[in-house]
Amino acid sequence: GESVGLHLPTLSVQEGDNSIINCAYSNSASDYFIWYKQESGKGPQFIIDIRSNMDKRQGQRVTVLLNKTVKHLSLQIAATQPGDSAVYFCAEGSGGYNKLIFGAGTRLAVHP
Amino acid sequence: GAGVSQTPSNKVTEKGKYVELRCDPISGHTALYWYRQSLGQGPEFLIYFQGTGAADDSGLPNDRFFAVRPEGSVSTLKIQRTERGDSAVYLCASSLQVGIDYGYTFGSGTRLTVV
């Protein structure tokens, strides 16, 4: 089937390098942010989240940074692997967290 | 089941026809969400259910779209008089409950093509 990332900006990195994917969010009232990974033909998969009372959160090989002043979110992936190749979306939520607003997405291409 | 199941995985229909898209959430999950993803874009919220009731349907684009969840488990998204602009991947997600502590699990989606 068609790739979900056909018309998205692409970040190309070498295997083993660190990757940084950026996102500008829209709603200053948003207080919960999530990064998702989406592979072709699959639904979004949760990577890491952060609440607005934090500015940094770390997971396994991933770090999310939040800058509320400029409404900016970033995802850092350490030692990028070919299996990290996918489209990455940031999403923001507020209130009841029953409705997420997704960003446009970035395609990450990892080259051996 | 182990994950959220959506059927069919692909659906091609003619303009003007009626279609139904099915979502089987994870067993025991009370919250169910529908999103629509157009090519090259992020998912957009359509509707969510808490149990059997549609708690928020503000994302449904017009009255041709309707969703039900009669027994609080399986949900069906129904589209009447389909238009070419309805072509997209329709994603379903479920969570144990609504709230920040209960993450979504997405299905793989139904790719709808209206010709």
Side-chain angles (χ1 to χ4, degrees):
Chain A
E2 295 177 54
S3 166
V4 75
L6 269 180
H7 306 291
L8 296 170
T10 298
L11 174 65
S12 294
V13 300
Q14 291 294 124
E15 181 179 357
D17 287 351
N18 296 334
S19 303
I20 300 176
I21 301 171
N22 296 303
C23 174
Y25 64 90
S26 58
N27 186 356
S28 56
S30 294
D31 55 6
Y32 178 56
F33 305 89
I34 314 169
W35 279 100
Y36 285 95
K37 172 186 180 183
Q38 188 173 27
E39 296 173 291
S40 186
K42 297 184 179 179
Q45 177 186 3
F46 173 91
I47 302 173
I48 191 168
D49 60 2
I50 189 168
R51 303 189 188 196
S52 61
N53 60 354
M54 304 171 68
D55 52 23
K56 180 179 180 178
R57 190 167 187 218
Q58 289 184 290
Q60 185 177 8
R61 282 201 308 119
V62 294
T63 301
V64 56
L65 300 177
L66 173 63
N67 184 331
K68 295 181 289 294
T69 303
V70 294
K71 294 193 290 185
H72 184 268
L73 197 66
S74 69
L75 175 70
Q76 300 177 0
I77 305 174
T80 316
Q81 302 169 0
D84 295 327
S85 293
V87 177
Y88 290 79
F89 292 98
C90 65
E92 58 187 291
S94 61
Y97 310 106
N98 50 57
K99 172 163 57 176
L100 297 177
I101 300 171
F102 283 78
T106 297
R107 184 158 62 99
L108 177 65
V110 182
H111 304 286
Chain B
V4 177
S5 175
Q6 292 188 247
T7 53
S9 55
N10 281 282
K11 176 71 177 178
V12 180
T13 191
E14 291 181 348
K15 180 175 176 295
K17 298 291 188 183
Y18 168 83
V19 296
E20 290 189 352
L21 312 179
R22 176 185 168 109
C23 174
D24 283 84
I26 292 172
S27 179
H29 279 196
T30 62
L32 185 146
Y33 313 82
W34 284 99
Y35 283 75
R36 178 168 73 172
Q37 186 172 26
S38 299
L39 187 64
Q41 298 181 21
E44 294 178 298
F45 172 82
L46 294 177
I47 184 172
Y48 96 93
F49 291 86
Q50 177 63 45
T52 60
D56 184 345
D57 64 358
S58 62
L60 294 178
N62 52 59
D63 61 6
R64 295 187 297 106
F65 289 74
F66 190 71
V68 295
R69 194 186 186 200
E71 298 179 357
S73 178
V74 172
S75 176
T76 305
L77 178 65
K78 308 181 181 194
I79 310 174
Q80 298 178 319
R81 305 183 303 280
T82 51
E83 299 176 357
R84 292 197 178 88
D86 299 335
S87 297
V89 174
Y90 290 81
L91 293 164
C92 177
S94 69
S95 62
L96 188 62
Q97 296 183 36
V98 174
I100 195 172
D101 295 320
Y102 304 96
Y104 287 21
T105 300
F106 279 92
S108 294
T110 293
R111 180 176 298 279
L112 175 66
T113 304
V114 182
V115 298

